[in-house]
């Protein structure tokens, strides 16, 4: 069983930045794929970004490419999502996801982009 704890969400104005963090209860190095998903009001959950161990493969959904950066720090045992130039349509609950022996999810964290 792997627990994932997210932090860093909140309310930000359009054009602002936030950094989400996710820490797993096991060694990050042992988790091959980490990802961020989001669910906006009235919409299905979508994959925002993913990253494999050693940064071999990194993926971004088109709507965030060039604005968001996913990264993982084995020394700090943390995964991050740096979100820049935030837009109202980025408003959603963001979920950390880990693929280990099976898939695991964090509890979700609210990001609201509004003036």
């Amino acid at each position: 069983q792997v627990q994932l704890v997210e932090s860093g969400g909140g309310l930000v104005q359009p054009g602002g930045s936030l950094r989400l963090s996710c820490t797993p209860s096991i060694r990050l190095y042992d988790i091959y794929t980490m990802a961020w998903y989001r669910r906006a009001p009235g919409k299905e959950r979508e994959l925002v970004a993913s990253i494999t161990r050693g940064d071999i493969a990194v993926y971004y959904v088109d709507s965030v490419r060039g604005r968001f950066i996913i990264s993982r720090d084995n020394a700090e045992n943390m995964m991050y999502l740096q979100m820049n130039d935030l837009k109202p349509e980025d408003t959603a609950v963001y979920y950390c996801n880990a693929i280990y022996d099976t898939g695991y999810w964090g509890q979700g964290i609210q990001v609201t982009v509004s003036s």
Side-chain angles (χ1 to χ4, degrees):
Q1 193 80 5
V2 177
Q3 281 80 47
L4 302 170
V5 178
E6 301 115 333
S7 61
L11 172 65
V12 65
Q13 292 187 344
S17 297
L18 281 176
R19 188 177 75 161
L20 302 183
S21 302
C22 174
T23 183
S25 59
I26 63 171
R27 285 196 318 169
L28 178 62
Y29 180 82
D30 291 332
I31 303 172
Y32 186 71
T33 301
M34 296 287 293
W36 290 97
Y37 286 74
R38 68 185 178 188
R39 176 176 282 148
K43 295 187 177 180
E44 294 190 356
R45 185 165 55 192
E46 70 168 345
L47 174 62
V48 176
S50 65
I51 186 168
T52 58
R53 185 169 57 216
D55 301 352
I56 294 173
V58 180
Y59 165 85
Y60 296 98
V61 69
D62 286 347
S63 59
V64 309
R65 189 173 295 115
R67 299 188 297 122
F68 290 11
I69 301 171
I70 189 171
S71 62
R72 48 194 293 170
D73 187 328
N74 292 332
E76 303 233 344
N77 214 55
M78 298 280 276
M79 178 183 67
Y80 301 102
L81 185 68
Q82 177 66 42
M83 304 186 294
N84 301 318
D85 190 22
L86 282 159
K87 305 176 186 299
E89 52 264 38
D90 295 317
T91 295
V93 177
Y94 284 72
Y95 297 89
C96 176
N97 172 264
I99 305 298
Y100 183 53
D101 53 343
T102 185
Y104 295 93
W105 295 93
Q107 78 282 1
I109 191 163
Q110 179 70 45
V111 171
T112 302
V113 184
S114 175
S115 55

